[in-house]
Amino acid sequence: MASSLPSGLPEGEVERITSDLIGALKTVYDPEIPVDIYELGLIYRVDLDDDRNLVIDMTLTAPGCPVAGEMPGWVENAARGVEGVQDVTVNMVFDPPWDASRMSEEAQVALNWW
């Protein structure tokens, strides 16, 4: 996951928001795969600006995913629950296409892809 960090926020605050955001994203699961979207590598980019607004670029495991219309809302709701975040925008992107190499080792173990 790429990120752009604000320069006007205290470093400790940025670290806390980042940690809390990762925790929030890990509560969102692809309903067809028993692994959270963070570990699956579906979050491509997160930008946090000096006004505490988040922009999240994410993808799906496949463009035809049955929850394509719902998952950005799930991600937005999870991110809005992070203390200190003012606004959240979630963009669905498909370039580059997702593939299994984006998964963490934790996700690979959970799916027995070791």
Side-chain angles (χ1 to χ4, degrees):
M1 171 178 73
S3 64
S4 173
L5 300 176
S7 59
L9 294 178
E11 184 177 334
E13 181 70 358
V14 172
E15 289 174 7
R16 184 200 55 80
I17 289 173
T18 299
S19 177
D20 290 354
L21 178 61
I22 290 170
L25 293 173
K26 290 176 114 208
T27 68
V28 180
Y29 283 77
D30 183 316
E32 296 180 327
I33 303 172
V35 177
D36 68 79
I37 62 166
Y38 183 81
E39 297 299 336
L40 278 174
L42 298 182
I43 303 299
Y44 280 4
R45 183 173 182 84
V46 175
D47 288 330
L48 175 66
D49 69 19
D50 289 338
D51 294 322
R52 300 170 187 260
N53 299 309
L54 282 174
V55 177
I56 300 171
D57 290 348
M58 67 166 295
T59 196
L60 301 170
T61 54
C65 177
V67 294
E70 299 170 50
M71 194 171 297
W74 300 344
V75 171
E76 180 181 340
N77 288 338
R80 284 188 186 281
V82 174
E83 182 183 337
V85 170
Q86 295 302 309
D87 196 19
V88 178
T89 302
V90 178
N91 300 314
M92 187 66 66
V93 298
F94 293 101
D95 186 29
W98 179 88
D99 65 54
S101 70
R102 294 181 120 0
M103 291 191 303
S104 69
E105 287 183 17
E106 179 180 316
Q108 292 173 12
V109 168
L111 295 173
N112 293 318
W113 286 22
W114 247 159

